[in-house]
Amino acid sequence: MKSIKLLTAAIGFALALNSGLASAQVKDEHRLESKHGGVVVESNHIEYELVVKPENVQLHAFDHGKVMDLSKAKAKVVFLVAGQKMERTLAGQGALLSGEGVDLKGAAYTAVATVELANKKKATVRFKAN
């Protein structure tokens, strides 16, 4: 009788520990939602949104949901589309970085942006659109 109680207590303790570890492994997940119709990616707790249009390319940045001042920032974006490589330089315009447009004709693309913020901190962000 004593051994059954001891076994039950040991199993209960093991289950309690296991559920505690499982809940500790849950990541801080949140949804990345597009605010301007582009592709959104998070890097170093900053959300970057790349908006590609034939007339211009825009890069928006949000730090914990707040719009970042990008007036003194700059970026270089390399587009890989159907085996072709296109490069655009973006300059700060207040709350966004903007540059010459890219006509993708509805094609899927991969873009790699190297962003240099005002504090000279650099971030490399990869975007993939289907």
Side-chain angles (χ1 to χ4, degrees):
M1 188 68 148
K2 218 178 198 184
S3 62
I4 292 176
K5 286 183 181 180
L6 186 59
L7 180 63
T8 305
I11 291 173
F13 183 69
L15 287 174
L17 270 179
N18 191 23
S19 65
L21 290 174
S23 66
Q25 292 177 355
V26 174
K27 288 186 174 182
D28 175 28
E29 293 183 24
H30 57 277
R31 304 183 121 215
L32 298 176
E33 295 181 9
S34 173
K35 295 178 174 85
H36 300 94
V39 179
V40 181
V41 175
E42 183 177 10
S43 176
N44 294 327
H45 301 287
I46 296 176
E47 294 175 18
Y48 294 93
E49 181 176 1
L50 183 66
V51 182
V52 181
K53 299 178 184 174
E55 58 272 7
N56 66 2
V57 174
Q58 297 178 343
L59 184 65
H60 302 265
F62 305 93
D63 188 3
H64 294 94
K66 296 178 185 170
V67 177
M68 293 180 62
D69 178 21
L70 299 174
S71 58
K72 296 179 183 172
K74 58 185 176 180
K76 183 168 80 170
V77 183
V78 177
F79 293 93
L80 303 171
V81 183
Q84 294 182 353
K85 180 178 168 182
M86 293 178 268
E87 193 172 299
R88 295 294 185 262
T89 301
L90 308 182
Q93 296 183 352
L96 62 94
L97 294 167
S98 184
E100 185 183 340
V102 175
D103 190 8
L104 299 173
K105 298 177 183 126
Y109 67 88
T110 298
V112 178
T114 303
V115 182
E116 186 176 330
L117 301 172
N119 61 3
K120 302 296 182 195
K121 183 178 178 185
K122 287 189 178 183
T124 302
V125 188
R126 181 183 168 139
F127 299 90
K128 188 167 181 76
N130 297 328

